[in-house]
Amino acid sequence: MNYSELLTNVRNYTEVDSNVLSNSVINVFITNVENKVAREVDSDDQRRYATTTCSVDNAFLDVSGREGGFRFARGLQLIDANNEITWLEQRDTTFIDEYSVTRSDAGSSTNGQPKYWANWDATNLILAPTPDQVYTIEMWYDETPERLSNTNTTTFLSNNAPEVLLYGVLGETFSYLKNTQDMQLYEQKFQQALQLYAQEQMGRKRRDEYSD
């Protein structure tokens, strides 16, 4: 289902024309639903992998320049000069701070090959120990969901789970129209469709039939 088809379906289901349900109004509902789906379902289209490098004496790893937008890291791999790969362990920022203070108090250098990482802020991850040399880091992360619009007429969600998008937008639309009964109906249909989509993306597509 493309963008124009979604707009037409929403107006047909609600029997309300574009004088009330303008494109700009429905666009808000579409974005709301896309955000809901992205936060509840770890879908294939948001999974990304990128290689970067850390800097000497700099504990921070800048993730602001990721194409598509960086939402969160799923894991980090460190590749040393011998091409040996080590998974870094995720910790809280308080652990990173205490780890560095403890090493310093013990007379050890706070620099070394990183073992841990944590979320620092919206644009940076933090490593510990602070890198003592340049290391290659492979990031496994999720990006911002692709947006449906009049210039981007189809997305992974609209192509692969159009019912999730339609029911979600209808729930938002009937809430806007103050139609509680139909809002509850389509919210239920949205949740049912979302569960099936999640079972496919996070269940069936993550399992191997031979192993299972």
Side-chain angles (χ1 to χ4, degrees):
M1 179 168 54
N2 61 37
Y3 175 73
S4 62
E5 289 171 338
L6 177 60
L7 297 183
T8 299
N9 285 333
V10 169
R11 290 168 183 143
N12 287 344
Y13 273 72
T14 58
E15 299 181 334
V16 176
D17 63 24
S18 58
N19 291 321
V20 176
L21 294 178
S22 64
N23 290 11
S24 60
V25 169
I26 298 178
N27 285 342
V28 174
F29 305 153
I30 294 173
T31 300
N32 290 346
V33 173
E34 288 171 335
N35 288 337
K36 286 181 185 177
V37 174
R39 290 179 177 128
E40 294 195 37
V41 180
D42 181 22
S43 61
D44 287 347
D45 68 308
Q46 294 171 40
R47 290 177 156 242
R48 294 292 181 269
Y49 306 88
T51 300
T52 186
T53 56
C54 56
S55 304
V56 180
D57 297 330
N58 183 4
F60 296 100
L61 198 63
D62 186 356
V63 295
S64 60
R66 296 296 104 196
E67 183 179 355
F70 181 93
R71 289 181 59 227
F72 59 85
R74 302 195 313 275
L76 298 183
Q77 286 183 329
L78 182 144
I79 305 171
D80 64 20
N82 297 319
N83 284 325
E84 293 186 5
I85 297 174
T86 304
W87 281 100
L88 303 185
E89 299 179 27
Q90 184 177 12
R91 292 290 189 268
D92 188 79
T93 49
T94 55
F95 174 93
I96 301 292
D97 181 66
E98 183 176 0
Y99 177 85
S100 299
V101 170
T102 301
R103 284 174 63 96
S104 180
D105 290 345
S108 300
S109 172
T110 56
N111 288 21
Q113 179 173 313
K115 298 179 181 179
Y116 310 104
W117 71 275
N119 291 295
W120 181 255
D121 57 25
T123 59
N124 289 281
L125 307 178
I126 187 170
L127 306 173
T130 300
D132 59 346
Q133 58 182 280
V134 175
Y135 293 98
T136 298
I137 304 288
E138 183 174 271
M139 295 193 304
W140 299 32
Y141 68 99
D142 275 32
E143 71 172 9
T144 304
E146 190 180 11
R147 303 299 186 184
L148 191 69
S149 67
N150 63 337
T151 57
N152 188 45
T153 59
T154 61
T155 63
F156 183 89
L157 183 62
S158 73
N159 286 330
N160 292 276
E163 70 283 3
V164 173
L165 189 59
L166 176 60
Y167 295 151
V169 172
L170 284 171
E172 294 273 336
T173 304
F174 281 117
S175 174
Y176 174 78
L177 296 174
K178 308 296 188 295
N179 186 333
T180 306
Q181 184 175 354
D182 284 339
M183 179 194 72
Q184 292 174 344
L185 169 65
Y186 284 105
E187 179 60 29
Q188 290 175 356
K189 293 175 76 68
F190 168 69
Q191 290 298 333
Q192 291 170 355
L194 186 63
Q195 283 184 346
L196 293 175
Y197 180 55
Q199 288 173 12
E200 175 195 79
Q201 292 294 311
M202 299 191 298
R204 297 173 66 187
K205 296 192 77 172
R206 303 283 191 270
R207 293 196 299 265
D208 171 58
E209 285 192 358
Y210 175 76
S211 298
D212 290 340

